[in-house]
Amino acid sequence: MKKIIFFFLLIITISCKNKEIDHSKDNDTEIQKIGHLYQPEKINTGPVKSDIDLNKKSYEINIYNSDLLEKNMKFLKGHSAKIAILYRNFLIQNEYNYNNIVVRIHQKNNSSYDFKYSEKQLLEIENKRHLNPSENK
């Protein structure tokens, strides 16, 4: 009986591990747009490691050393919202479920800025941009 219980617990443990995402088959047009707009040295994307819920999780995008973002420090919040919306579109196109999107902007002077957006916040931002087309630049 103990062997059966041990075997059952082992199967549950193995099946509940977070699966790594293989982005090699993803349509990354939105990520390329981010790269084209902000010209960073590097972009990393993926799930936030601390999430427990396997159905919906938070995803993060890290932008490293973008001269445009460094020159426009006053407008980082607006730029981060635009980055989050583009990354959200990437997640939707590739059928990833998400709770939050975290945008991390890393500058050359080793400063870092984190912006977290919920699904609801992103919908509100996107609706606002549709109402005010001048912000869609």
Side-chain angles (χ1 to χ4, degrees):
M1 184 67 170
K2 287 182 183 180
K3 287 182 181 181
I4 294 172
I5 292 173
F6 176 75
F7 183 71
F8 181 69
L9 290 175
L10 183 65
I11 289 174
I12 290 174
T13 304
I14 292 171
S15 66
C16 289
K17 285 187 177 178
N18 282 342
K19 295 179 182 175
E20 288 295 318
I21 296 175
D22 178 16
H23 286 297
S24 64
K25 297 175 185 159
D26 293 340
N27 176 357
D28 68 345
T29 307
E30 302 303 317
I31 304 297
Q32 289 178 12
K33 282 183 191 176
I34 294 168
H36 180 72
L37 287 171
Y38 296 103
Q39 306 275 313
E41 287 181 9
K42 183 167 99 172
I43 298 176
N44 287 341
T45 62
V48 173
K49 305 256 187 283
S50 63
D51 278 353
I52 296 171
D53 184 3
L54 296 176
N55 295 326
K56 279 195 162 188
K57 55 177 71 175
S58 297
Y59 286 86
E60 66 183 357
I61 181 165
N62 291 282
I63 309 287
Y64 294 90
N65 303 331
S66 166
D67 289 336
L68 176 71
L69 293 174
E70 194 165 330
K71 289 177 186 173
N72 291 309
M73 293 295 288
K74 292 191 282 191
F75 305 109
L76 273 186
K77 180 80 171 158
H79 287 298
S80 70
K82 189 171 190 172
I83 292 166
I85 288 171
L86 288 169
Y87 189 46
R88 174 184 159 265
N89 292 343
F90 164 81
L91 294 171
I92 290 170
Q93 285 174 359
N94 292 288
E95 299 177 2
Y96 292 109
N97 294 320
Y98 70 96
N99 282 329
N100 299 301
I101 293 178
V102 179
V103 177
R104 298 184 201 282
I105 299 172
H106 306 275
Q107 300 293 20
K108 292 177 185 174
N109 63 2
N110 291 329
S111 57
S112 197
Y113 304 90
D114 293 355
F115 302 92
K116 186 175 183 178
Y117 297 96
S118 68
E119 194 171 3
K120 182 180 176 187
Q121 287 172 313
L122 288 172
L123 288 173
E124 289 172 1
I125 292 167
E126 196 167 43
N127 288 336
K128 178 184 168 198
R129 286 180 183 238
H130 286 301
L131 295 175
N132 188 358
S134 66
E135 289 187 15
N136 285 331
K137 295 179 184 177

